[in-house]
Amino acid sequence: MSKKQGFMKALKCRECGTEYPLEATHVCEFDFGPLEVAYDYDTIKDSMTKEAIGSRPQNMWRYRELLPVAGEPTVGTKVGYTPLIKADRLAKRLGIRELYIKNDAVNYPTLSFKDRVVSVALSRSVELGFGVVACASTGNLANSVAANAASAGLKSYVLIPHDLEQGKVINSLVYKANVIGIKGHYDDVNKLCAEIAGKFGWAFVNVNMRPYYAEGSKSMGFEIAEQLGWKAPQHTVIPMASGSLLTKVHKSYQELAKIGLIDESEVHIHGAQATGCNPIAAAEKAGLDFFKPVKPNTIAKSLAIGTPADGFYALRVMKETGGHAEDVSDDEIREGIRLLAECEGIFAETAGGVTVGVAKKLIESGKIPADDSAVLCITGNGLKTIDAVDGHVGATREIKPSLREFEALLEAEKKVTA
Ligand SMILES: *Cc1c(COP(=O)(O)O)cnc(C)c1O
């Protein structure tokens, strides 16, 4: 392991394979293909045994050889190793033999899967000498950049669509991040960030730092495989915004097989979107290799990317693994949130409702066979999107502080249910 680049070899164009130094850069000069981190798998194989991993602390950095930092991570060192729950009650409701929930709604510190990617991006930004970190965000990324930057003493700028949920806005402001609301959709925010990144020389976690950032998502897949007793699940259902998480969970299973930690097995990777922003799901259902950009209109704001950067690669992963995509309406998203809460006691944000709703459809249509086993990736916390379910989860019944009134209330209920 060299001191300067750890287990990484280079940045490499996904299209033509041209190699680049391990700097803050993300597109190939020749064909504009996205750059990806290449690793030295032979060295990793010797260092990353099950025993070694098992002896390390329970956070995402127990897989550090396959994460793109040169030295020890310095930001977000406690992120990850969230619970994998065997969800028997939800399995019954959805009609599948075996079901698990990977619960990143309780990820540390900002209650979404984004802490994984931010931990990597900020640790690498510090290694590369950046003092200012920034992002274009649909909400959760803003929260995570703001919080993790605060704890590392880094200055941060987070740019978000101006009409995000209040929970997500306040969750960024409280860390004293510079929060900029852009009057437009995420795709407008992202375009502006590309211009700013070029001009100001900041570390934009999902622009010039994207090759490192995106690799952080693999840790969700590494954990799933380890928590299943070192095997990849038959089916994984993953919510898609840019499509990056989906491609990286797939890559994580492939890498574990490559270094011999799991057996090669058939894994089906399925993608979930909201009908109000379904460019990738619509393309998959139509059998197309390319998506058509859309203007988002959905309560699942964390997934509202109309021009998904990794949409093409997500479509390819689904095709290659025999996976499928589906999308669900706002009402079905709320139903998904309620189902997960009622059956498993987990309150997910709208993206979680999308994942549960899509899993239900894929099981009903037989695309996920009822006799198989599936993992649903729950990526964010419901407390951040209460606006989306307010008025759809019943209401409290109010009484005076009197035993007589309480008994009357129970009597009245008995009559209704009788
Ligand atoms: C960002 C995000 C995703 C997926 O994002 P990708 O861009 O597809 O990697 C999923 N769920 C939530 C809650 C998110 O915030």
Side-chain angles (χ1 to χ4, degrees):
M1 166 167 153
S2 104
K3 216 170 165 196
K4 244 178 73 213
Q5 53 187 65
F7 294 89
M8 298 179 279
K9 282 209 300 212
L11 293 180
K12 198 169 173 180
C13 174
R14 275 179 89 155
E15 292 304 319
C16 69
T18 302
E19 294 198 354
Y20 293 84
L22 290 154
E23 291 164 2
T25 174
H26 69 299
V27 275
C28 178
E29 288 167 16
F30 300 106
D31 54 15
F32 302 105
L35 303 186
E36 197 175 25
V37 178
Y39 296 88
D40 179 357
Y41 289 111
D42 289 332
T43 314
I44 289 173
K45 202 173 181 166
D46 294 335
S47 156
M48 208 172 152
T49 61
K50 286 179 195 170
E51 295 68 39
I53 295 168
S55 71
R56 299 173 186 173
Q58 292 195 334
N59 61 64
M60 64 180 268
W61 291 101
R62 63 208 263 113
Y63 318 101
R64 77 158 302 308
E65 288 92 336
L66 287 169
L67 295 171
V69 294
E72 288 304 309
T74 52
V75 186
T77 56
K78 299 284 192 287
V79 175
Y81 219 80
T82 56
L84 183 78
I85 308 293
K86 189 145 187 292
D88 291 338
R89 284 166 48 79
L90 185 61
K92 212 164 181 185
R93 286 288 284 274
L94 299 187
I96 186 164
R97 180 179 58 83
E98 191 173 69
L99 187 71
Y100 295 87
I101 301 295
K102 177 60 173 168
N103 188 11
D104 267 16
V106 294
N107 203 1
Y108 178 86
T110 66
L111 309 177
S112 90
F113 112 82
K114 289 297 196 304
D115 291 321
R116 301 178 182 277
V117 282
V118 168
S119 163
V120 171
L122 295 199
S123 289
R124 185 66 185 148
S125 298
V126 169
E127 283 184 346
L128 293 177
F130 287 99
V132 181
V133 295
C135 68
S137 173
T138 57
N140 283 315
L141 183 59
N143 297 169
S144 187
V145 166
N148 284 294
S151 77
L154 294 163
K155 187 169 178 165
S156 69
Y157 281 83
V158 305
L159 285 80
I160 52 177
H162 68 109
D163 60 349
L164 278 193
E165 302 94 342
Q166 204 193 7
K168 294 217 172 119
V169 176
I170 291 178
N171 242 306
S172 295
L173 287 167
V174 72
Y175 308 106
K176 217 147 198 314
N178 297 286
V179 183
I180 321 284
I182 308 297
K183 293 173 186 153
H185 288 298
Y186 172 83
D187 302 280
D188 304 305
V189 179
N190 197 40
K191 220 170 107 221
L192 174 63
C193 285
E195 292 173 43
I196 300 173
K199 183 151 184 183
F200 287 80
W202 296 344
F204 266 90
V205 302
N206 54 345
V207 184
N208 51 344
M209 294 300 291
R210 192 168 178 90
Y212 309 99
Y213 159 92
E215 288 285 290
S217 291
K218 292 190 305 189
S219 62
M220 196 165 188
F222 295 149
E223 290 173 17
I224 290 170
E226 183 181 353
Q227 289 167 320
L228 286 174
W230 292 112
K231 67 175 204 274
Q234 286 177 296
H235 300 269
T236 312
V237 185
I238 301 166
M240 301 183 290
S242 73
S244 175
L245 174 63
L246 181 137
T247 65
K248 293 297 181 177
V249 168
H250 180 235
K251 185 180 179 189
S252 75
Y253 299 154
Q254 287 182 314
E255 284 185 335
L256 291 181
K258 185 181 296 204
I259 62 170
L261 289 184
I262 62 174
D263 291 333
E264 294 261 1
S265 67
E266 220 174 272
V267 295
H268 305 278
I269 309 290
H270 307 279
Q273 291 200 301
T275 305
C277 183
N278 67 348
I280 310 176
E284 195 281 328
K285 289 197 283 186
L288 302 173
D289 293 334
F290 294 91
F291 64 85
K292 220 169 70 207
V294 304
K295 279 239 175 310
N297 181 15
T298 167
I299 57 168
K301 295 186 181 182
S302 56
L303 304 180
I305 298 185
T307 310
D310 290 283
F312 169 74
Y313 296 103
L315 284 165
R316 200 157 81 184
V317 165
M318 288 186 272
K319 195 172 180 180
E320 281 175 8
T321 65
H324 293 282
E326 252 309 342
D327 50 76
V328 283
S329 69
D330 286 354
D331 279 338
E332 289 170 318
I333 293 171
R334 292 191 191 96
E335 191 202 328
I337 291 175
R338 285 195 303 258
L339 260 180
L340 181 61
E342 289 166 21
C343 295
E344 302 299 334
I346 294 169
F347 185 18
E349 73 146 81
T350 45
V354 168
T355 303
V356 173
V358 162
K360 180 164 181 269
K361 277 192 171 175
L362 291 174
I363 293 164
E364 273 166 10
S365 67
K367 286 177 173 168
I368 297 179
D371 280 344
D372 281 1
S373 170
V375 173
L376 310 188
C377 292
I378 296 302
T379 48
N381 195 297
L383 291 174
K384 293 197 202 182
T385 60
I386 44 176
D387 341 28
V389 287
D390 192 19
H392 298 269
V393 287
T396 49
R397 281 151 287 176
E398 290 182 12
I399 55 169
K400 295 209 184 83
S402 114
L403 184 58
R404 208 165 49 76
E405 284 212 16
F406 185 70
E407 283 169 339
L409 180 136
L410 291 187
E411 263 324 296
E413 254 176 18
K414 242 191 242 160
K415 274 183 204 137
V416 174
T417 50

